Amino acid sequence: MLDTLGQQMPFVKMQGSGNDFVVIDNRDRRVPVEAMADWAKAVCRRAFGIGADGIFFLENPPADRPGVDFIWHFYNADGSRAEMCGNGSRCAARLAYLLGIAPARHVIGTDAGPVRAEVLDSGRVKVQLTPAKDARLDIALPAADKTLRAHFVNTGVPHTVIFVDDVAKVDLPDLGRTVRYHETFRPKGTNANFAQVVDKQTMLLRTYERGVEAETYACGTGASAAVYLSHKLGLTGPEVNVTTSGGEQLTISVDGDNVFLAGAATVTFTGDLLLESVGLKL
Ligand SMILES: N[C@@H](CCC[C@H](N)C(=O)O)C(=O)O
């Protein structure tokens, strides 16, 4: 019956700690790179498309990118391309393993650089992010009626972290947006993270994500940035369990500028996208 509904594209829906993604196996290059931003906007739009925080396309590595098992093209829900996504990379690793594209230990080619992944028996996936860079501590951020004490690091994508006494009390739509668009971080902008250190091994985190333009249930590179910076500030030890706003747990460990992120990566459903229904065609 659905054959009458025109062109279709198989997809996989996944989530890593509640950060949700549509995955397209694009090894046949059916979707050209130039069309991917439009695909992201149409497919990720909740209620009208499949709905997701982001979409990524898995492809075989080109000859000029040796040493990686596959590459991806990652896009946020608003159609912006992102250099990296921690939870997305864990989902990509799990799916690549399930599809036989890569062995349990492999390397993903991201725009930020190669990311090492290990798919664990439990269905959890551990990734080593690209080395933390551009760290800046104690940035004074003038906001409406106060000055925020912020810290910054790039863990594949840019992250600002503000430590607070109670994350539940943060007005994230307002404060997250203020930080995300603060002139200090122009032109690329930043993701905005609010972290509550519970003890040396435990943290609560909420993230306002660039490209989703809202709070997401989790952000892997954000959790990694928060732990990297809290460790640098002496607030936590080198390994921390981070509870994200969706209630899931990510485990982050830091060794110098090397940051490791581990957590569950789950296939939630598979399906066929009816391209015409979301305004797309091949
Ligand atoms: N949710 C991701 C980060 C995705 C990219 C980010 N929105 C950006 O554009 O910087 C993660 O888990 O790291």
Side-chain angles (χ1 to χ4, degrees):
M1 189 266 281
L2 294 181
D3 289 349
T4 60
L5 295 176
Q7 282 186 315
Q8 302 182 19
M9 173 62 86
F11 70 88
V12 178
K13 182 84 194 309
M14 298 192 76
Q15 59 91 3
S17 310
N19 216 183
D20 65 335
F21 309 100
V22 172
V23 193
I24 306 286
D25 179 356
N26 201 40
R27 283 177 292 169
D28 55 7
R29 304 264 187 106
R30 271 178 85 198
V31 183
V33 177
E34 307 76 56
M36 287 178 183
D38 286 340
W39 273 63
K41 286 186 268 186
V43 171
C44 295
R45 194 173 172 211
R46 300 209 185 264
F48 294 91
I50 298 166
D53 294 328
I55 182 171
F56 51 88
F57 300 83
L58 301 182
E59 289 185 5
N60 291 318
D64 62 353
R65 288 177 83 175
V68 302
D69 290 272
F70 63 91
I71 63 159
W72 76 358
H73 301 275
F74 182 94
Y75 291 84
N76 287 310
D78 71 353
S80 57
R81 185 168 174 123
E83 302 89 327
M84 173 53 187
C85 173
N87 290 326
S89 67
R90 295 188 304 96
C91 291
R94 178 105 199 271
L95 187 63
Y97 176 67
L98 290 171
L99 294 177
I101 296 174
R105 282 171 186 264
H106 62 259
V107 182
I108 308 168
T110 75
D111 292 3
V115 166
R116 292 189 178 284
E118 182 180 0
V119 181
L120 307 168
D121 288 341
S122 54
R124 287 168 65 85
V125 178
K126 183 175 182 177
V127 290
Q128 177 176 2
L129 304 180
T130 50
K133 63 177 188 182
D134 305 334
R136 282 165 64 197
L137 301 181
D138 293 313
I139 308 164
L141 284 189
D145 55 347
K146 53 183 168 270
T147 298
L148 302 167
R149 182 186 176 214
H151 314 281
F152 178 89
V153 69
N154 186 313
T155 48
V157 285
H159 282 283
T160 300
V161 179
I162 294 171
F163 292 97
V164 295
D165 292 337
D166 185 353
V167 277
K169 289 200 177 133
V170 175
D171 178 358
L172 211 73
D174 182 47
L175 218 47
R177 206 179 150 73
T178 300
V179 174
R180 187 252 177 277
Y181 286 105
H182 204 281
E183 59 182 2
T184 306
F185 307 110
R186 284 183 197 152
K188 287 190 172 172
T190 182
N191 295 281
N193 302 273
F194 295 83
Q196 177 183 341
V197 173
V198 177
D199 59 39
K200 290 269 181 191
Q201 292 86 35
T202 319
M203 183 186 282
L204 306 178
L205 186 72
R206 294 174 68 191
T207 306
Y208 184 100
E209 268 197 58
R210 183 181 73 159
V212 182
E213 304 311 331
E215 179 173 15
T216 52
Y217 284 129
C219 178
T221 50
S224 304
V227 173
Y228 175 83
L229 291 165
S230 66
H231 181 50
K232 235 180 170 28
L233 290 163
L235 303 174
T236 55
E239 183 162 305
V240 177
N241 286 318
V242 177
T243 302
T244 63
S245 28
E248 300 291 305
Q249 291 237 327
L250 290 167
T251 305
I252 317 293
S253 37
V254 178
D255 178 10
D257 288 336
N258 296 317
V259 188
F260 302 83
L261 159 71
T266 307
V267 176
T268 47
F269 56 93
T270 62
D272 293 302
L273 178 66
L274 304 178
L275 298 191
E276 214 176 287
S277 306
V278 293
L280 295 171
K281 61 174 184 233
L282 286 168

